[in-house]
Amino acid sequence: MTTTDTTRATAPATAPGALPLPAGAARAATAAGAVLTFASTFLAWTWTGAFPGNLTVTGYPGGLQVLTLTGALLTTLFLLAGHGIRGLRWLTPGGTNSPVVLLALGTAAVTWYAAGAIAFTLGGLVNLEPGGWLAAAASLLTAVAALGLPADTPADPEHPPTDPWQRLRHSLRAPAPARARTLPSWAEILLIAAAFAVALYVFTYGIATEYGELFVGFLLLTLLAVPALAKAGLLRRVTALTAKHRNVSITAAFVAAAAFPFLQSDNEFTSIAVNILIFATVALGLNVVVGLAGLLDLGYVAFLGVGAYTAALVSGSPFSTIGVHFPFWAAVLTGAAVSLVFGVLIGAPTLRLRGDYLAIVTLGFGEIFRIGMQNLDGISGPSVTNGSTGVPQIPDLELLGYNFGEPHTLLGFEFTRSANYFWLMLIITVVVVSVFRRSDTSRIGRAWVAIREDETAARAMGINAFRLKLMAFALGATLAGLAGTVQAHTVSSIDPEQYKFVEAVPPNSAFLLAAVILGGMGTVGGPLIGAALLYLIPAKLQFIGEYQLLLFGIALVLLMRFRPEGLVADRRKQLEFHETGQLDVPDTDGDTPGKPGLSKAEA
């Protein structure tokens, strides 16, 4: 038997479940609950169409029922894959029961949220039809029974999870053993293409949700389904394949993103995607400053404003006080260059500060920029920016005769203004990602990481910390200015209020910093995912009103508690937050469990 066959044949070890249920009974109850949950989506959940999604139809799932159906189907598939169905074993190359637990909990969360939303919107539980009651009971049965399944190999084999709370934490945090299987190259490329196609479909579904309740349900299921796929080992397998076929993966990612406008029937969703790309690009620029160099910048949105104002003033707006009209390429280069100059001018006198002092200075710069743009109105100061009015009627970009503001037809599809700017912003995002990746892997990038980890030690090793920090600050400012030039033409009107430290709609400095930390500092995918979430959530949860920031804050607290390294973390951050750093030393006297080499008195 070869090494690969041995690895594949080895089943992951298990420990007792968190509930006093025999493994067979827990497995049978989980399967029965999942099947009943699946069947309940074909029944009416309420009697009136006043609740969005048309949940009154029997025999055809709709709205939140589709999410419950998806969760129940995935729970069943992973349950079968982990227990004897050969054709589905590829679904669980890592863990077996932990993915089932997470998917069952996600399905229950969506279903109970739907029942609660129906009762709240329509005025009581009496508005639930038998299908709704069946869905709630069956999903709860599935989640409870899944907690009774044997736990996959725990982090501490001598102390397996003994209650549901520990079982859930184990499902989220315990490492999954990998079982790799060698595939032909063509099959691996097909898997990469399928993974990006699924990611595109999920993103398209989330951004195109028609009402807030459906988006909340989508979030609940996704936030537990993604860790489930990670625990199953699928995400790790896809990551390994993308690293192996890097050029194919980059091409597949670009093609999937470029195909997004083809899947949209509403211009509003494409416009949201354009703003997400702008937000994500600026977050990547901030990731150079915060994630790589470790410089806490609280006024970073000012560099976005510098690029936007520069492009607005030189792009031929009738309200521009300069009165010039640069072509597209010149406006972009001018905006990036002016942002670079501001980055050097602000960084040179301030980057000798560290920590909180640097954060306060950058916060002050952000506010100075906003107030300065407001006062350059010809009354409080020179007439440059029109003050609080800003620069409206910024003309659309035009490149080689292609006007981005006019609709165009391609392959029988008619694309609007938003689709044109989406493709332009996608190209700029690719450029920024390339710059970030090359900077990260370069000698300068390694020096930035050394400064971030310990500036004193880096200086002792001969690194010119001030010069390198100034380079990071200037590079981050340039990338933000580059995105700002496109933002000015996309929104067609800018004013100082768009660049506050905290604003209801991102991008702003607080949300940019949250996107970097939430997604994962020092990574490429982290800020992209964090920016997408932080832009979509306020845009989709407007029906919550004043409770929006409260729920957002609670979500951030929970995420920082259970995944402090971010949604996408590099190996260094995972070790920093989840490893003690102490070697396992045998207990020499055996007197004190858990305190190797110490006596009871010393402990």
Side-chain angles (χ1 to χ4, degrees):
M1 180 180 292
T2 64
T3 304
T4 302
D5 294 334
T6 304
T7 305
R8 184 176 56 200
T10 303
T14 59
L19 298 179
L21 290 175
R27 191 176 302 120
T30 304
V35 171
L36 287 175
T37 305
F38 181 87
S40 68
T41 60
F42 292 88
L43 302 175
W45 283 12
T46 185
W47 61 275
T48 174
F51 187 82
N54 194 16
L55 306 183
T56 63
V57 180
T58 299
Y60 186 82
L64 288 164
Q65 289 175 325
V66 175
L67 296 175
T68 298
L69 182 148
T70 303
L73 180 61
L74 290 175
T75 303
T76 305
L77 286 177
F78 277 89
L79 183 65
L80 295 176
H83 300 90
I85 306 299
R86 292 185 59 86
L88 296 176
R89 286 181 181 176
W90 60 272
L91 284 174
T92 55
T96 55
N97 292 329
S98 292
V100 176
V101 173
L102 294 172
L103 288 170
L105 291 173
T107 306
V110 171
T111 307
W112 279 75
Y113 167 75
I118 291 172
F120 179 81
T121 303
L122 302 181
L125 293 174
V126 69
N127 294 285
L128 285 174
E129 288 289 296
W133 290 105
L134 176 61
S139 62
L140 180 61
L141 170 64
T142 308
V144 172
L147 290 172
L149 292 173
D152 298 329
T153 304
D156 184 2
E158 297 181 358
H159 301 88
T162 57
D163 58 64
W165 176 246
Q166 292 183 2
R167 182 71 174 88
L168 174 59
R169 293 185 62 183
H170 164 74
S171 298
L172 287 170
R173 304 177 71 176
R179 290 185 296 167
R181 178 183 178 184
T182 304
L183 296 174
S185 296
W186 62 267
E188 293 178 343
I189 293 174
L190 286 179
L191 283 177
I192 293 173
F196 281 107
V198 170
L200 174 62
Y201 176 80
V202 172
F203 177 76
T204 302
Y205 183 89
I207 202 174
T209 48
E210 299 176 353
Y211 48 93
E213 291 84 354
L214 183 60
F215 181 73
V216 173
F218 169 78
L219 277 183
L220 290 174
L221 182 59
T222 303
L223 291 178
L224 285 170
V226 171
L229 297 179
K231 288 297 300 176
L234 288 178
L235 294 186
R236 184 179 301 176
R237 184 71 188 278
V238 171
T239 302
L241 292 179
T242 55
K244 181 179 179 181
H245 304 278
R246 183 176 178 182
N247 293 332
V248 173
S249 302
I250 294 174
T251 303
F254 181 80
V255 170
F260 176 78
F262 290 91
L263 305 177
Q264 299 303 308
S265 58
D266 193 332
N267 188 45
E268 176 188 358
F269 303 138
T270 309
S271 179
I272 292 176
V274 174
N275 290 316
I276 288 175
L277 285 179
I278 293 175
F279 190 16
T281 302
V282 181
L284 272 174
L286 180 60
N287 200 22
V288 174
V289 180
V290 177
L292 294 183
L295 306 174
L296 184 55
D297 189 349
L298 298 182
Y300 187 75
V301 75
F303 297 118
L304 175 70
V306 170
Y309 263 100
T310 303
L313 292 174
V314 302
S315 294
S317 169
F319 292 89
S320 172
T321 58
I322 297 180
V324 297
H325 188 181
F326 287 2
F328 164 70
W329 62 270
V332 169
L333 291 179
T334 304
V338 173
S339 297
L340 170 63
V341 171
F342 268 82
V344 174
L345 291 177
I346 299 302
T350 61
L351 287 178
R352 299 189 185 278
L353 302 174
R354 298 189 193 181
D356 298 339
Y357 301 100
L358 176 62
I360 293 173
V361 170
T362 55
L363 176 61
F365 165 65
E367 286 301 297
I368 290 172
F369 168 78
R370 182 182 64 84
I371 296 173
M373 295 300 101
Q374 191 168 349
N375 289 339
L376 295 178
D377 55 357
I379 300 175
S380 302
S383 178
V384 179
T385 63
N386 299 322
S388 59
T389 304
V391 185
Q393 298 185 22
I394 302 172
D396 288 303
L397 292 172
E398 187 171 346
L399 179 63
L400 301 177
Y402 187 93
N403 192 308
F404 287 82
E406 298 176 356
H408 299 272
T409 302
L410 178 64
L411 301 177
F413 293 89
E414 183 176 353
F415 299 102
T416 60
R417 178 178 184 272
S418 298
N420 297 329
Y421 279 105
F422 174 83
W423 283 321
L424 174 63
M425 200 60 225
L426 178 62
I427 295 174
I428 293 179
T429 303
V430 171
V431 172
V432 173
V433 168
S434 301
V435 171
F436 180 86
R437 291 186 65 92
R438 290 184 178 274
S439 300
D440 184 21
T441 57
S442 67
R443 178 179 59 85
I444 295 176
R446 293 192 294 271
W448 283 338
V449 173
I451 294 172
R452 182 191 69 192
E453 297 300 324
D454 193 328
E455 183 174 344
T456 302
R459 289 176 182 273
M461 297 301 295
I463 294 176
N464 189 334
F466 174 75
R467 182 174 63 88
L468 288 170
K469 289 194 296 183
L470 186 59
M471 289 178 61
F473 213 72
L475 178 59
T478 304
L479 297 180
L482 183 65
T485 59
V486 180
Q487 185 209 26
H489 294 85
T490 302
V491 300
S492 71
S493 178
I494 59 172
D495 60 80
E497 296 302 310
Q498 298 176 9
Y499 305 104
K500 290 183 176 180
F501 174 72
V502 177
E503 180 65 22
V505 179
N508 56 66
S509 293
F511 272 72
L512 286 170
L513 187 61
V516 173
I517 297 175
L518 170 69
M521 292 191 299
T523 63
V524 175
L528 297 177
I529 295 175
L533 287 176
L534 292 185
Y535 192 91
L536 274 177
I537 290 174
K540 291 293 185 178
L541 298 186
Q542 295 180 1
F543 72 101
I544 298 179
E546 63 272 16
Y547 297 103
Q548 187 179 129
L549 287 178
L550 173 63
L551 295 179
F552 173 66
I554 294 174
L556 282 181
V557 170
L558 292 176
L559 183 68
M560 292 299 102
R561 171 63 181 84
F562 293 106
R563 194 166 178 86
E565 70 272 24
L567 296 175
V568 180
D570 57 11
R571 182 62 177 166
R572 184 186 292 108
K573 289 295 181 183
Q574 290 177 338
L575 292 175
E576 179 181 344
F577 285 104
H578 294 298
E579 297 290 341
T580 62
Q582 297 179 350
L583 298 176
D584 291 331
V585 182
D587 189 356
T588 55
D589 55 9
D591 292 335
T592 310
K595 300 288 185 179
L598 298 180
S599 65
K600 292 182 179 180
E602 292 173 324

